[in-house]
Amino acid sequence: MTADADFNPHSLTEQDFLDEVHSFQFWFDSVEGYLTDRVYGKLDSTVEEEIDDARRERLITTLCNYAVGETAALEGSAGLVRIAPDRNSKIFMATQVADEARHLEVFLHRLRELGVVDPESEIERRAQPALVDFKGSLLELVSEGDWQAAVFAQNVILESMEYTVFRVHAATADAVTKDVLAGVISDERRHAGFGENDLGRSLATDPSGRRRLREIRSHLDPMVLGVFEAALDDVGALAPERSRIAGEYLETVERLGLT
Ligand SMILES: [Fe+2]
Ligand SMILES: [Fe+2]
């Protein structure tokens, strides 16, 4: 089966649906539409525009923090392959490992294009401590084998905020950064969708899990929220756009009954 225009995932039984959307076949068909014609995320036809020093400086800080988030998701997804409760979820997580590695790669490449000679040390220097702490907490949940909590931290908290922030940033970004973000956004949407779907199903049969996830949420989401709000300040987002991060994220946790 394919992800072509005629394909209607809602016509499938639940298990067939999961087999379909968690497959590499679905992934190939999805990414083909927005990645195959781009080198490091950039369309051939896009021309680099003039970026003044102050704007470049702010963009470098933002991209360094995006790289921390992508590294967290890359290492998190890789660990989640091992602890996933079924084979479908392992396969989906393997597609996510590939996506997150690609996101990290395109952000590192963009940093070099912006004149950063050593992205590793620049990321170290500019990373917001709260995001580094979030990464540590996520990887702790993974190493404890806590699939439900780790999927919540990664595929709901981190992914839904990234999905919003990258879209707001893309609206004001220079042309090349906009291209790079466009390819990343489509992937993050798929990852956030997996998180909400997976937790929605597991919480339906285990309502007591909600209390535990609410506690995890109160500990983890301020870390990520503050970081992404700061990122939007750096890219010059206006107040209403900034409030979208909290708003869209809250809608997701409300749908899961975690407010
Ligand atoms: Fe990502
Ligand atoms: Fe992601």
Side-chain angles (χ1 to χ4, degrees), residues 141-217:
L141 293 171
V142 173
S143 62
E144 286 164 5
D146 193 338
W147 165 262
Q148 194 182 45
V151 165
F152 178 59
Q154 176 179 285
N155 285 57
V156 175
I157 298 179
L158 180 62
E159 296 286 352
S160 61
M161 289 192 200
E162 282 182 334
Y163 178 55
T164 308
V165 170
F166 293 166
R167 276 182 300 151
V168 172
H169 184 182
T172 58
D174 64 275
V176 175
T177 303
K178 188 186 292 232
D179 275 4
V180 170
L181 286 169
V184 175
I185 288 163
S186 305
D187 292 336
E188 305 305 17
R189 181 164 175 251
R190 197 165 53 244
H191 304 160
F194 172 86
E196 189 173 342
N197 186 278
D198 184 81
L199 289 178
R201 279 180 293 117
S202 75
L203 289 171
T205 55
D206 169 30
S208 65
R210 287 203 172 88
R211 196 180 325 116
R212 204 170 67 90
L213 292 185
R214 278 191 205 109
E215 275 167 30
I216 288 169
R217 191 199 143 197

Side-chain angles (χ1 to χ4, degrees), residues 214-236:
R214 278 191 205 109
E215 275 167 30
I216 288 169
R217 191 199 143 197
S218 66
H219 173 57
L220 293 184
D221 70 356
M223 295 181 187
V224 188
L225 193 56
V227 171
F228 283 123
E229 280 176 339
L232 288 185
D233 281 339
D234 282 344
V235 300

Side-chain angles (χ1 to χ4, degrees), residues 64-65 68 122-132:
C64 282
N65 280 285
V68 176
E122 208 61 45
I123 292 167
E124 193 91 17
R125 203 161 68 78
R126 298 184 189 234
Q128 294 227 22
L131 192 53
V132 177

